[in-house]
Amino acid sequence: MLHVVTVHWNDDAWIEPQLRFLQQFAPAGHRVYASLNGIDPSFADQFHYAADLEGMHASKLNELALVVREQADPDDLLLFLDGDAFPIAPLDESLLSGLPLAAVRRSENLGDRQPHPCFCLTTVGFWFEIEGDWRRGYEWESSIGVPVTDVGGNLLGILTERNIAWRPLLRSNRVDLDPLWFGIYGDVAYHHGAGFRRKVARHVELVGNSAVRDAPTKALIPASVPVLGRAERSVRSRVARRNADRRLDAAA
């Protein structure tokens, strides 16, 4: 049995395509458990279980997994799936390649290391054996040297501290319309990206913030020079912030 956990927020546009692709590629008899926030209650009938859960995205995933545990066997497959994601190839245990967990890893997002909840396959028993947790907290160093955490951070921490190997599903797009959005991973999952929010990615935001932070260090006038030294640093910071904001607007 495959149990699918997903979250839809303030927009029902992704419900039909997600359920359609699950019907095509998930095993017969699979069950879908959803948090439907700001969605017409009539859509609840399309899911095995649906509720308007409170809290952040990661907490909703954790809570839905608890619901699954009440109805599942430990050997049943458990798939975490973002609302704007769906399978594009058959789903079965072979995707794990003999490992306890397979998940998207968005290395293209400044070297992200954590399993991403847009698509993560494991078993019900393994998830609760390790006390799986999608919340952020555990940190790693990004490719630009800035410590970061994000959804899936604590799961990465659990796997790292217990020395548990997992299968990363990496971006496999044949055509890239964007370096992060519209991603295909491991030729098995599609993730639209920011399907329920403004499209501002950390790889754009952190690079911009880093440029603002470093701008004063590029000043030519020594800081010891009265007025001019401080003025140049101020101008460089303002220009860097303006450029960073423009990049954010362009990426949205």
Side-chain angles (χ1 to χ4, degrees):
M1 172 78 72
L2 171 66
H3 304 266
V4 182
V5 165
T6 190
V7 174
H8 292 266
W9 187 74
N10 284 343
D11 191 345
D12 59 41
W14 290 99
I15 292 178
E16 188 279 329
Q18 184 184 67
L19 294 179
R20 173 160 43 88
F21 277 88
L22 281 169
Q23 187 65 33
Q24 180 177 356
F25 292 114
H30 67 275
R31 297 174 176 177
V32 186
Y33 306 70
S35 176
L36 304 180
N37 305 106
I39 306 291
D40 190 310
S42 64
F43 282 95
D45 294 338
Q46 301 183 42
F47 298 89
H48 174 73
Y49 172 92
D52 187 346
L53 300 179
E54 297 181 355
M56 302 298 289
H57 184 72
S59 298
K60 295 172 187 176
L61 295 176
N62 289 345
E63 188 170 346
L64 287 170
L66 290 172
V67 176
V68 171
R69 182 169 64 169
E70 297 175 355
Q71 307 181 29
D73 294 327
D75 292 336
D76 284 353
L77 292 174
L78 174 61
L79 176 65
F80 295 95
L81 195 63
D82 270 2
D84 61 342
F86 45 77
I88 57 173
L91 296 175
D92 56 44
E93 195 168 356
S94 66
L95 184 61
L96 295 172
S97 297
L99 296 172
L101 183 144
V104 164
R105 189 182 74 197
R106 300 199 302 177
S107 302
E108 66 275 16
N109 193 30
L110 294 183
D112 270 0
R113 295 175 50 203
Q114 87 280 23
H116 196 280
C118 67
F119 186 97
C120 174
L121 182 68
T122 185
T123 64
V124 174
F126 177 75
W127 182 257
F128 288 101
E129 175 188 339
I130 65 170
E131 298 181 341
D133 180 10
W134 282 111
R135 291 174 297 178
R136 62 179 64 206
Y138 181 85
E139 292 186 347
W140 62 93
E141 187 174 285
S142 71
S143 59
I144 61 172
V146 178
V148 297
T149 187
D150 205 344
V151 175
N154 282 352
L155 179 55
L156 175 63
I158 292 168
L159 297 172
T160 300
E161 291 164 6
R162 300 191 183 197
N163 197 29
I164 297 174
W166 60 284
R167 182 188 176 192
L169 303 174
L170 304 180
R171 190 177 180 96
S172 56
N173 288 50
R174 305 296 186 270
V175 176
D176 273 311
L177 301 177
D178 182 271
L180 181 63
W181 314 126
F182 322 122
I184 295 173
Y185 294 91
D187 291 330
V188 70
Y190 174 76
H191 181 220
H192 193 73
F196 301 96
R197 61 176 176 83
R198 182 170 178 259
K199 283 183 166 57
V200 176
R202 179 158 34 81
H203 75 280
V204 176
E205 190 171 21
L206 281 185
V207 169
N209 290 342
S210 180
V212 173
R213 185 174 57 253
D214 294 342
T217 67
K218 299 178 180 180
L220 301 177
I221 301 173
S224 57
V225 176
V227 183
L228 291 180
R230 185 171 61 183
E232 183 190 5
R233 284 158 178 76
S234 176
V235 169
R236 286 182 177 272
S237 294
R238 290 200 302 273
V239 170
R241 171 48 61 194
R242 184 165 62 247
N243 290 338
D245 290 343
R246 286 173 177 169
R247 282 193 292 269
L248 282 176
D249 289 340

